[in-house]
Each structure stands twice: as structure tokens, then as C-alpha cells.
CSV table of all heavy atoms in Angstrom, one decimal:
chain,number,residue,atom,x,y,z
A,26,LYS,N,-8.2,-13.1,-23.8
A,26,LYS,CA,-9.3,-12.1,-23.7
A,26,LYS,C,-8.8,-11.0,-22.9
A,26,LYS,O,-7.9,-11.1,-22.0
A,26,LYS,CB,-10.5,-12.8,-22.9
A,26,LYS,CG,-11.7,-12.0,-22.8
A,26,LYS,CD,-12.8,-12.8,-22.1
A,26,LYS,CE,-14.1,-12.0,-22.0
A,26,LYS,NZ,-15.2,-12.8,-21.4
A,27,SER,N,-9.3,-9.8,-23.3
A,27,SER,CA,-8.9,-8.5,-22.6
A,27,SER,C,-10.1,-7.7,-22.4
A,27,SER,O,-11.2,-8.1,-22.9
A,27,SER,CB,-7.8,-7.8,-23.3
A,27,SER,OG,-8.3,-7.2,-24.5
A,28,GLY,N,-10.0,-6.5,-21.8
A,28,GLY,CA,-11.1,-5.6,-21.7
A,28,GLY,C,-11.6,-5.2,-23.0
A,28,GLY,O,-12.8,-5.0,-23.2
A,29,CYS,N,-10.8,-5.0,-24.0
A,29,CYS,CA,-11.2,-4.6,-25.3
A,29,CYS,C,-11.5,-5.8,-26.3
A,29,CYS,O,-12.2,-5.6,-27.3
A,29,CYS,CB,-10.1,-3.7,-26.0
A,29,CYS,SG,-9.8,-2.2,-25.0
A,30,ARG,N,-10.9,-6.9,-26.0
A,30,ARG,CA,-11.0,-8.1,-26.9
A,30,ARG,C,-11.8,-9.1,-26.2
A,30,ARG,O,-11.3,-9.9,-25.4
A,30,ARG,CB,-9.7,-8.6,-27.3
A,30,ARG,CG,-8.9,-7.7,-28.2
A,30,ARG,CD,-7.5,-8.5,-28.6
A,30,ARG,NE,-6.7,-8.8,-27.5
A,30,ARG,CZ,-6.6,-10.0,-26.9
A,30,ARG,NH1,-7.4,-11.0,-27.4
A,30,ARG,NH2,-5.8,-10.2,-25.9
A,31,THR,N,-13.2,-9.1,-26.4
A,31,THR,CA,-14.0,-10.1,-25.6
A,31,THR,C,-14.6,-11.2,-26.6
A,31,THR,O,-15.0,-12.2,-26.1
A,31,THR,CB,-15.2,-9.3,-25.0
A,31,THR,OG1,-15.9,-8.6,-26.1
A,31,THR,CG2,-14.6,-8.3,-24.0
A,32,GLN,N,-14.6,-11.0,-27.9
A,32,GLN,CA,-15.3,-11.9,-28.8
A,32,GLN,C,-14.3,-13.0,-29.4
A,32,GLN,O,-14.8,-14.0,-29.9
A,32,GLN,CB,-16.0,-11.2,-29.9
A,32,GLN,CG,-17.2,-10.4,-29.4
A,32,GLN,CD,-18.2,-11.2,-28.6
A,32,GLN,OE1,-18.7,-12.2,-29.1
A,32,GLN,NE2,-18.4,-10.9,-27.4
A,33,GLN,N,-13.0,-12.7,-29.3
A,33,GLN,CA,-12.1,-13.7,-29.9
A,33,GLN,C,-12.2,-15.0,-29.3
A,33,GLN,O,-12.1,-16.1,-30.0
A,33,GLN,CB,-10.7,-13.1,-29.8
A,33,GLN,CG,-10.3,-12.0,-30.8
A,33,GLN,CD,-10.7,-10.6,-30.4
A,33,GLN,OE1,-11.6,-10.5,-29.5
A,33,GLN,NE2,-10.3,-9.6,-31.0
A,34,ILE,N,-12.4,-15.1,-28.0
A,34,ILE,CA,-12.4,-16.4,-27.3
A,34,ILE,C,-13.7,-17.1,-27.7
A,34,ILE,O,-13.7,-18.4,-27.8
A,34,ILE,CB,-12.3,-16.2,-25.7
A,34,ILE,CG1,-12.2,-17.6,-25.1
A,34,ILE,CG2,-13.5,-15.4,-25.2
A,34,ILE,CD1,-10.9,-18.3,-25.3
A,35,VAL,N,-14.8,-16.4,-27.9
A,35,VAL,CA,-16.1,-16.9,-28.3
A,35,VAL,C,-15.9,-17.5,-29.7
A,35,VAL,O,-16.4,-18.6,-30.1
A,35,VAL,CB,-17.1,-15.9,-28.3
A,35,VAL,CG1,-18.5,-16.5,-28.8
A,35,VAL,CG2,-17.4,-15.3,-26.9
A,36,GLU,N,-15.2,-16.8,-30.6
A,36,GLU,CA,-15.0,-17.2,-32.0
A,36,GLU,C,-14.1,-18.4,-32.0
A,36,GLU,O,-14.3,-19.4,-32.8
A,36,GLU,CB,-14.5,-16.1,-32.8
A,36,GLU,CG,-14.3,-16.4,-34.3
A,36,GLU,CD,-15.6,-16.8,-35.0
A,36,GLU,OE1,-16.7,-16.6,-34.5
A,36,GLU,OE2,-15.5,-17.3,-36.2
A,37,ALA,N,-13.1,-18.4,-31.2
A,37,ALA,CA,-12.2,-19.6,-31.1
A,37,ALA,C,-12.9,-20.8,-30.7
A,37,ALA,O,-12.7,-21.9,-31.2
A,37,ALA,CB,-11.0,-19.3,-30.1
A,38,GLN,N,-13.8,-20.6,-29.7
A,38,GLN,CA,-14.6,-21.8,-29.2
A,38,GLN,C,-15.5,-22.3,-30.3
A,38,GLN,O,-15.6,-23.5,-30.5
A,38,GLN,CB,-15.5,-21.3,-28.1
A,38,GLN,CG,-16.5,-22.4,-27.6
A,38,GLN,CD,-17.5,-21.8,-26.6
A,38,GLN,OE1,-18.1,-20.7,-26.9
A,38,GLN,NE2,-17.7,-22.4,-25.5
A,39,ARG,N,-16.1,-21.4,-31.1
A,39,ARG,CA,-16.9,-21.9,-32.2
A,39,ARG,C,-16.2,-22.7,-33.3
A,39,ARG,O,-16.6,-23.7,-33.7
A,39,ARG,CB,-17.6,-20.6,-32.9
A,39,ARG,CG,-18.5,-21.0,-34.0
A,39,ARG,CD,-18.9,-19.8,-34.9
A,39,ARG,NE,-17.8,-19.3,-35.7
A,39,ARG,CZ,-17.4,-19.9,-36.8
A,39,ARG,NH1,-18.0,-21.0,-37.3
A,39,ARG,NH2,-16.3,-19.4,-37.5
A,40,ILE,N,-15.0,-22.2,-33.6
A,40,ILE,CA,-14.1,-22.9,-34.6
A,40,ILE,C,-13.7,-24.3,-34.1
A,40,ILE,O,-13.8,-25.3,-34.8
A,40,ILE,CB,-12.9,-22.0,-34.9
A,40,ILE,CG1,-13.3,-20.8,-35.7
A,40,ILE,CG2,-11.9,-22.9,-35.8
A,40,ILE,CD1,-12.2,-19.8,-35.9
A,41,LEU,N,-13.3,-24.3,-32.8
A,41,LEU,CA,-12.9,-25.6,-32.2
A,41,LEU,C,-14.0,-26.6,-32.1
A,41,LEU,O,-13.8,-27.8,-32.3
A,41,LEU,CB,-12.2,-25.4,-30.8
A,41,LEU,CG,-10.9,-24.6,-30.9
A,41,LEU,CD1,-10.6,-24.1,-29.5
A,41,LEU,CD2,-9.8,-25.6,-31.3
A,42,LEU,N,-15.2,-26.1,-31.8
A,42,LEU,CA,-16.4,-27.0,-31.7
A,42,LEU,C,-16.8,-27.6,-33.1
A,42,LEU,O,-17.5,-28.6,-33.1
A,42,LEU,CB,-17.6,-26.3,-31.1
A,42,LEU,CG,-17.5,-26.1,-29.6
A,42,LEU,CD1,-18.6,-25.2,-29.1
A,42,LEU,CD2,-17.7,-27.5,-28.9
A,43,LEU,N,-16.3,-27.0,-34.2
A,43,LEU,CA,-16.6,-27.7,-35.4
A,43,LEU,C,-15.9,-29.0,-35.6
A,43,LEU,O,-16.3,-29.8,-36.4
A,43,LEU,CB,-16.1,-26.7,-36.6
A,43,LEU,CG,-16.9,-25.4,-36.7
A,43,LEU,CD1,-16.2,-24.5,-37.8
A,43,LEU,CD2,-18.3,-25.6,-37.1
A,44,HIS,N,-14.8,-29.2,-34.8
A,44,HIS,CA,-14.0,-30.4,-34.9
A,44,HIS,C,-13.8,-31.2,-33.6
A,44,HIS,O,-13.2,-32.2,-33.7
A,44,HIS,CB,-12.6,-30.0,-35.5
A,44,HIS,CG,-12.7,-29.3,-36.8
A,44,HIS,ND1,-12.9,-29.9,-38.0
A,44,HIS,CD2,-12.6,-27.9,-37.1
A,44,HIS,CE1,-13.0,-29.0,-39.0
A,44,HIS,NE2,-12.7,-27.8,-38.4
A,45,ARG,N,-14.3,-30.6,-32.5
A,45,ARG,CA,-14.1,-31.3,-31.2
A,45,ARG,C,-15.4,-31.5,-30.5
A,45,ARG,O,-16.4,-30.8,-30.7
A,45,ARG,CB,-13.2,-30.4,-30.3
A,45,ARG,CG,-11.9,-30.0,-30.8
A,45,ARG,CD,-10.8,-31.1,-30.6
A,45,ARG,NE,-9.6,-30.8,-31.4
A,45,ARG,CZ,-8.5,-30.2,-30.9
A,45,ARG,NH1,-8.5,-29.8,-29.6
A,45,ARG,NH2,-7.5,-30.0,-31.6
A,46,ARG,N,-15.5,-32.5,-29.7
A,46,ARG,CA,-16.7,-32.8,-28.9
A,46,ARG,C,-16.9,-31.7,-27.9
A,46,ARG,O,-16.0,-31.0,-27.5
A,46,ARG,CB,-16.5,-34.1,-28.2
A,46,ARG,CG,-16.3,-35.4,-29.0
A,46,ARG,CD,-16.5,-36.6,-28.1
A,46,ARG,NE,-15.8,-36.4,-26.8
A,46,ARG,CZ,-14.5,-36.7,-26.6
A,46,ARG,NH1,-13.8,-37.2,-27.5
A,46,ARG,NH2,-14.0,-36.6,-25.4
A,47,ALA,N,-18.2,-31.5,-27.6
A,47,ALA,CA,-18.5,-30.4,-26.7
A,47,ALA,C,-17.9,-30.7,-25.3
A,47,ALA,O,-17.7,-29.7,-24.6
A,47,ALA,CB,-20.1,-30.3,-26.6
A,48,ASP,N,-17.8,-32.0,-24.9
A,48,ASP,CA,-17.3,-32.3,-23.6
A,48,ASP,C,-15.7,-32.4,-23.6
A,48,ASP,O,-15.2,-32.9,-22.6
A,48,ASP,CB,-17.9,-33.6,-23.1
A,48,ASP,CG,-17.5,-34.8,-24.0
A,48,ASP,OD1,-17.0,-34.6,-25.0
A,48,ASP,OD2,-17.9,-36.0,-23.5
A,49,THR,N,-15.1,-31.9,-24.6
A,49,THR,CA,-13.6,-31.9,-24.6
A,49,THR,C,-13.1,-31.2,-23.4
A,49,THR,O,-13.5,-30.0,-23.1
A,49,THR,CB,-13.1,-31.2,-25.9
A,49,THR,OG1,-13.5,-32.0,-27.0
A,49,THR,CG2,-11.5,-31.1,-25.9
A,50,PRO,N,-12.1,-31.8,-22.6
A,50,PRO,CA,-11.7,-31.1,-21.4
A,50,PRO,C,-10.9,-29.8,-21.7
A,50,PRO,O,-10.2,-29.7,-22.6
A,50,PRO,CB,-10.7,-32.1,-20.7
A,50,PRO,CG,-11.2,-33.4,-21.3
A,50,PRO,CD,-11.6,-33.1,-22.7
A,51,VAL,N,-11.1,-28.8,-20.8
A,51,VAL,CA,-10.5,-27.5,-20.9
A,51,VAL,C,-10.0,-27.1,-19.5
A,51,VAL,O,-10.8,-27.2,-18.6
A,51,VAL,CB,-11.4,-26.4,-21.5
A,51,VAL,CG1,-10.7,-25.1,-21.4
A,51,VAL,CG2,-11.7,-26.7,-23.0
A,52,ALA,N,-8.8,-26.6,-19.4
A,52,ALA,CA,-8.3,-26.0,-18.2
A,52,ALA,C,-7.9,-24.6,-18.4
A,52,ALA,O,-7.3,-24.2,-19.4
A,52,ALA,CB,-7.1,-26.8,-17.7
A,53,ILE,N,-8.4,-23.7,-17.5
A,53,ILE,CA,-8.0,-22.3,-17.6
A,53,ILE,C,-7.3,-21.9,-16.3
A,53,ILE,O,-7.8,-22.1,-15.2
A,53,ILE,CB,-9.4,-21.5,-17.7
A,53,ILE,CG1,-10.2,-21.9,-18.9
A,53,ILE,CG2,-9.0,-19.9,-17.7
A,53,ILE,CD1,-11.6,-21.3,-18.9
A,54,VAL,N,-6.0,-21.5,-16.6
A,54,VAL,CA,-5.1,-21.2,-15.4
A,54,VAL,C,-4.8,-19.8,-15.4
A,54,VAL,O,-4.2,-19.2,-16.4
A,54,VAL,CB,-3.8,-22.1,-15.5
A,54,VAL,CG1,-2.9,-21.8,-14.3
A,54,VAL,CG2,-4.2,-23.6,-15.6
A,55,LYS,N,-5.1,-19.1,-14.3
A,55,LYS,CA,-4.8,-17.6,-14.1
A,55,LYS,C,-3.6,-17.5,-13.2
A,55,LYS,O,-3.6,-18.2,-12.1
A,55,LYS,CB,-6.0,-16.9,-13.6
A,55,LYS,CG,-5.7,-15.4,-13.3
A,55,LYS,CD,-7.0,-14.8,-12.8
A,55,LYS,CE,-6.7,-13.3,-12.5
A,55,LYS,NZ,-7.9,-12.6,-11.9
A,56,SER,N,-2.6,-16.8,-13.6
A,56,SER,CA,-1.4,-16.4,-12.7
A,56,SER,C,-0.8,-17.7,-12.1
A,56,SER,O,-0.6,-17.8,-10.9
A,56,SER,CB,-1.9,-15.5,-11.6
A,56,SER,OG,-2.4,-14.3,-12.2
A,57,GLY,N,-0.5,-18.7,-13.0
A,57,GLY,CA,0.1,-19.9,-12.5
A,57,GLY,C,1.3,-19.7,-11.7
A,57,GLY,O,2.2,-19.0,-12.0
A,58,TYR,N,1.3,-20.3,-10.5
A,58,TYR,CA,2.5,-20.3,-9.5
A,58,TYR,C,2.7,-18.9,-9.0
A,58,TYR,O,3.8,-18.6,-8.4
A,58,TYR,CB,3.8,-20.8,-10.2
A,58,TYR,CG,3.8,-22.3,-10.4
A,58,TYR,CD1,3.7,-22.8,-11.7
A,58,TYR,CD2,3.9,-23.2,-9.4
A,58,TYR,CE1,3.7,-24.1,-12.0
A,58,TYR,CE2,3.9,-24.6,-9.6
A,58,TYR,CZ,3.8,-25.0,-10.9
A,58,TYR,OH,3.8,-26.4,-11.2
A,59,ARG,N,1.7,-18.1,-9.1
A,59,ARG,CA,1.8,-16.7,-8.5
A,59,ARG,C,0.8,-16.5,-7.4
A,59,ARG,O,-0.1,-17.4,-7.1
A,59,ARG,CB,1.7,-15.6,-9.6
A,59,ARG,CG,2.8,-15.7,-10.6
A,59,ARG,CD,2.6,-14.6,-11.7
A,59,ARG,NE,3.6,-14.8,-12.8
A,59,ARG,CZ,3.5,-14.2,-13.9
A,59,ARG,NH1,2.6,-13.2,-14.1
A,59,ARG,NH2,4.4,-14.4,-14.9
A,60,ARG,N,0.8,-15.4,-6.7
A,60,ARG,CA,0.0,-15.2,-5.5
A,60,ARG,C,-1.5,-15.4,-5.8
A,60,ARG,O,-2.2,-15.9,-4.9
A,60,ARG,CB,0.3,-13.7,-5.0
A,60,ARG,CG,-0.4,-13.5,-3.7
A,60,ARG,CD,0.3,-12.2,-3.0
A,60,ARG,NE,0.2,-11.1,-3.9
A,60,ARG,CZ,-0.8,-10.2,-4.0
A,60,ARG,NH1,-1.8,-10.4,-3.2
A,60,ARG,NH2,-0.7,-9.2,-4.8
A,61,ARG,N,-2.0,-14.9,-6.9
A,61,ARG,CA,-3.4,-15.0,-7.1
A,61,ARG,C,-3.8,-16.2,-8.1
A,61,ARG,O,-4.7,-16.0,-8.9
A,61,ARG,CB,-3.9,-13.7,-7.7
A,61,ARG,CG,-3.8,-12.6,-6.6
A,61,ARG,CD,-4.3,-11.2,-7.2
A,61,ARG,NE,-4.2,-10.2,-6.1
A,61,ARG,CZ,-4.5,-8.9,-6.3
A,61,ARG,NH1,-5.0,-8.5,-7.5
A,61,ARG,NH2,-4.4,-8.0,-5.4
A,62,GLN,N,-3.1,-17.2,-8.1
A,62,GLN,CA,-3.3,-18.4,-8.9
A,62,GLN,C,-4.8,-18.8,-8.7
A,62,GLN,O,-5.3,-19.0,-7.7
A,62,GLN,CB,-2.4,-19.5,-8.5
A,62,GLN,CG,-2.6,-20.8,-9.3
A,62,GLN,CD,-1.7,-21.9,-8.8
A,62,GLN,OE1,-0.5,-21.8,-9.0
A,62,GLN,NE2,-2.3,-23.0,-8.3
A,63,PHE,N,-5.4,-19.1,-9.9
A,63,PHE,CA,-6.8,-19.6,-10.0
A,63,PHE,C,-6.9,-20.5,-11.1
A,63,PHE,O,-6.6,-20.2,-12.3
A,63,PHE,CB,-7.7,-18.4,-10.1
A,63,PHE,CG,-9.2,-18.7,-10.1
A,63,PHE,CD1,-9.8,-19.6,-9.1
A,63,PHE,CD2,-10.0,-18.3,-11.2
A,63,PHE,CE1,-11.1,-19.9,-9.2
A,63,PHE,CE2,-11.4,-18.6,-11.2
A,63,PHE,CZ,-11.9,-19.4,-10.2
């Protein structure tokens, strides 16, 4: 996702939910091993 591309992640979620359970685990890692890791 970026400032200009906001809907691609929503569409990716929709496609994946056609074949995966809603409770499928997801991890979102920002700036891994860097100062602002989240």
C-alpha cells in the first residue's frame, strides 16, 4: 500500500478470502530490524 495505491490491498484481501478462512493468521511487519520496527 502507498499514498496513491490504497485499494490494491483491499482487493487482495477479497481474492484471498475466496479461498481462505476469515481467521487465517496474518502478520504485518513494518521496518523489520530497523529503528521504527512495528
Side-chain angles (χ1 to χ4, degrees):
K26 188 176 181 180
S27 70
C29 297
R30 293 185 297 101
T31 59
Q32 291 305 301
Q33 282 84 345
I34 188 68
V35 177
E36 182 63 10
Q38 177 191 44
R39 184 192 69 78
I40 293 170
L41 289 161
L42 279 170
L43 295 174
H44 305 281
R45 303 279 168 96
R46 300 190 317 270
D48 62 351
T49 298
V51 173
I53 302 167
V54 182
K55 177 181 179 182
S56 301
Y58 290 106
R59 297 181 188 172
R60 185 164 55 89
R61 295 182 179 177
Q62 175 181 298
F63 179 53

